[in-house]
Amino acid sequence: MALVSADTKIAELLTELHQLIKQTQEERSRSEHNLLNIQKTHERMQTENKTSPYYRTKLRGLYTTAKADAEAECGILRRALDKIAEIKSLLEERRIAAKMAGVYSDSDPPRKTMRRGVLMTLLQQSAMTLPLWIGKPGDSPPPLCGAMPASGDYVAKQGDKVAARVKAVDGDEQWILAEVVSYNHSTNKYEVDDIDEEGKERHTLSRRRIIPLPQWKANPETDPEALFSKDQLVLALYPQTTCFYRALIHTPPHRPQDDYSVLFEDTSYADGYSPPLNVAQRYVVACKENKKK
C-alpha cells in the first residue's frame, strides 16, 4: 500500500513539475521583449553618441522590469528544484521500503545478484545526479555541501551513503562505501551495509568511524570556499572500486559539472603518488587522519 501511495504522489509531483517547466518557458518568452528593448536602447545611444536624461530614465525602467522578470523566473525554477528534490526523496523512501520487504526492481537489484559493472554504473549515476547547491544572494553553503563538514550533532538517515571505516578480513582497517541501516541513539552507533556486499557484510560502528557523503555539489563559480583546495589531504573513492583511499587534491573542479583531479597515495610510484585521477564531488570527503602512513 505504501509503495502504491508513493507512486501516486510521484505522479502528482511530476505533473506539477511539468507545469512549472511550462511556466518557466512562458516567463522567459514574456521577458524577451523587454531584454530586446534594452539592447535597442543601448544601440541608439551608441549611434547618437550621447546619454540623455530620457535614455537614463528609460533604461532605469527597463532594467527594473528585467530584474523583476529574472526574480520571477528564478522563483519558478526554485519551486521546480524543490519538486525534483521531493521526487528523489520519495524514490529513495520507496527503494528502502522495497529493500526491507525483499522486493527489488530491475533498476535496483540486490547487491549479491548485481554484476560489478552494474554497481559501478549506479555509483556513477548517483554522483551525476547529486543536486547542485544554489543559494540565494548572501547565503552560505550549508553543511554537507561539497567539502563543508556535517554539523556536530548530525545523524545520517537510513539509506544514506557514507564512508565507513571497517576491519578487513586480513585485520587491516579500510574505508568503504556503505549504506546506513540504522542508528542507535543509546549506544551512538551505526549499523551499515557494505555497498558491495549488501545484506552479507553488516557492520556496527561508532560515529567516529562514519563520514557522511556530500548531499549537494558545490558550485566553483559561486561557492569556491565549499571545495577542497589544491594539495589538501582527502579520502577519495578509487575509480571502479567501493573503497576510499588517502589522496591529495591535484585540481579542484572549475565548473559545476567537473570532477576533482586527485593523486592517490601509492608506494609503487617514485614520488609516492599515482598519476592524476578524476573523482566526483560525491565521493571526496575530509581525511580524519593527518599523518601519512
Side-chain angles (χ1 to χ4, degrees):
M1 183 66 71
L3 295 180
V4 174
S5 61
D7 286 346
T8 303
K9 181 61 177 175
I10 289 169
E12 292 173 357
L13 287 168
L14 285 170
T15 301
E16 293 170 13
L17 177 61
H18 181 249
Q19 291 301 319
L20 287 168
I21 292 170
K22 285 176 64 178
Q23 286 180 38
T24 302
Q25 190 55 49
E26 289 165 4
E27 186 68 35
R28 191 166 295 177
S29 299
R30 190 179 65 78
S31 63
E32 280 178 357
H33 177 70
N34 187 65
L35 294 174
L36 189 60
N37 271 343
I38 291 175
Q39 182 182 343
K40 287 181 177 178
T41 302
H42 277 290
E43 288 171 355
R44 289 196 199 99
M45 287 168 58
Q46 288 178 342
T47 301
E48 297 176 16
N49 198 24
K50 66 177 182 179
T51 306
S52 66
Y54 165 76
Y55 282 133
R56 280 199 295 270
T57 302
K58 182 178 182 180
L59 280 174
R60 189 177 295 112
L62 290 172
Y63 275 115
T64 299
T65 301
K67 182 174 180 288
D69 289 345
E71 288 171 347
E73 184 179 334
C74 183
I76 297 171
L77 288 171
R78 288 188 184 281
R79 284 160 57 200
L81 288 172
D82 288 343
K83 296 293 179 190
I84 292 171
E86 199 173 343
I87 291 168
K88 289 184 71 174
S89 177
L90 283 169
L91 287 170
E92 180 65 5
E93 287 176 14
R94 187 176 70 177
R95 183 189 71 80
I96 293 169
K99 174 185 168 184
M100 293 178 69
V103 179
Y104 292 91
S105 66
D106 291 340
S107 61
D108 188 30
R111 300 286 185 256
K112 58 188 175 184
T113 64
M114 189 185 298
R115 296 194 308 276
R116 188 160 191 81
V118 176
L119 175 58
M120 292 301 114
T121 299
L122 288 175
L123 296 183
Q124 187 178 23
Q125 289 174 348
S126 175
M128 290 175 63
T129 57
L130 187 68
L132 180 71
W133 167 252
I134 304 173
K136 295 178 181 178
D139 282 356
S140 297
L144 295 181
C145 171
M148 305 300 288
S151 57
D153 58 353
Y154 179 80
V155 174
K157 302 187 299 297
Q158 181 186 32
D160 281 359
K161 305 301 186 293
V162 296
R165 191 177 186 182
V166 301
K167 278 193 175 181
V169 178
D170 58 7
D172 287 344
E173 296 203 329
Q174 61 181 6
W175 287 94
I176 64 167
L177 180 61
E179 180 175 316
V180 173
V181 176
S182 63
Y183 179 75
N184 188 319
H185 288 272
S186 299
T187 61
N188 288 328
K189 288 188 176 182
Y190 285 98
E191 274 202 335
V192 301
D193 279 343
D194 184 339
I195 200 74
D196 207 13
E197 296 286 346
E198 186 178 277
K200 182 180 175 184
E201 287 289 336
R202 183 158 292 181
H203 305 272
T204 302
L205 303 170
S206 63
R207 288 171 64 112
R208 63 186 177 83
R209 287 178 169 267
I210 296 292
I211 304 175
L213 298 190
Q215 293 183 352
W216 296 276
K217 280 186 281 194
N219 188 343
E221 296 163 359
T222 57
D223 303 299
E225 73 278 13
L227 291 166
F228 293 110
S229 53
K230 182 176 172 59
D231 294 330
Q232 193 166 349
L233 183 65
V234 296
L235 288 172
L237 195 71
Y238 197 89
Q240 298 302 307
T241 77
T242 57
C243 291
F244 290 83
Y245 296 98
R246 291 154 57 92
L248 291 180
I249 298 296
H250 178 61
T251 309
H254 292 299
R255 299 170 301 169
Q257 66 270 32
D258 289 347
D259 294 336
Y260 282 101
S261 174
V262 306
L263 309 172
F264 284 97
E265 291 184 357
D266 191 333
T267 54
S268 65
Y269 291 91
D271 62 356
Y273 293 97
S274 71
L277 293 170
N278 287 348
V279 181
Q281 281 197 49
R282 170 76 163 158
Y283 302 123
V284 180
V285 295
C287 184
K288 288 191 172 183
E289 313 146 325
N290 292 321
K291 293 181 180 179
K292 185 173 178 178
K293 293 180 180 178

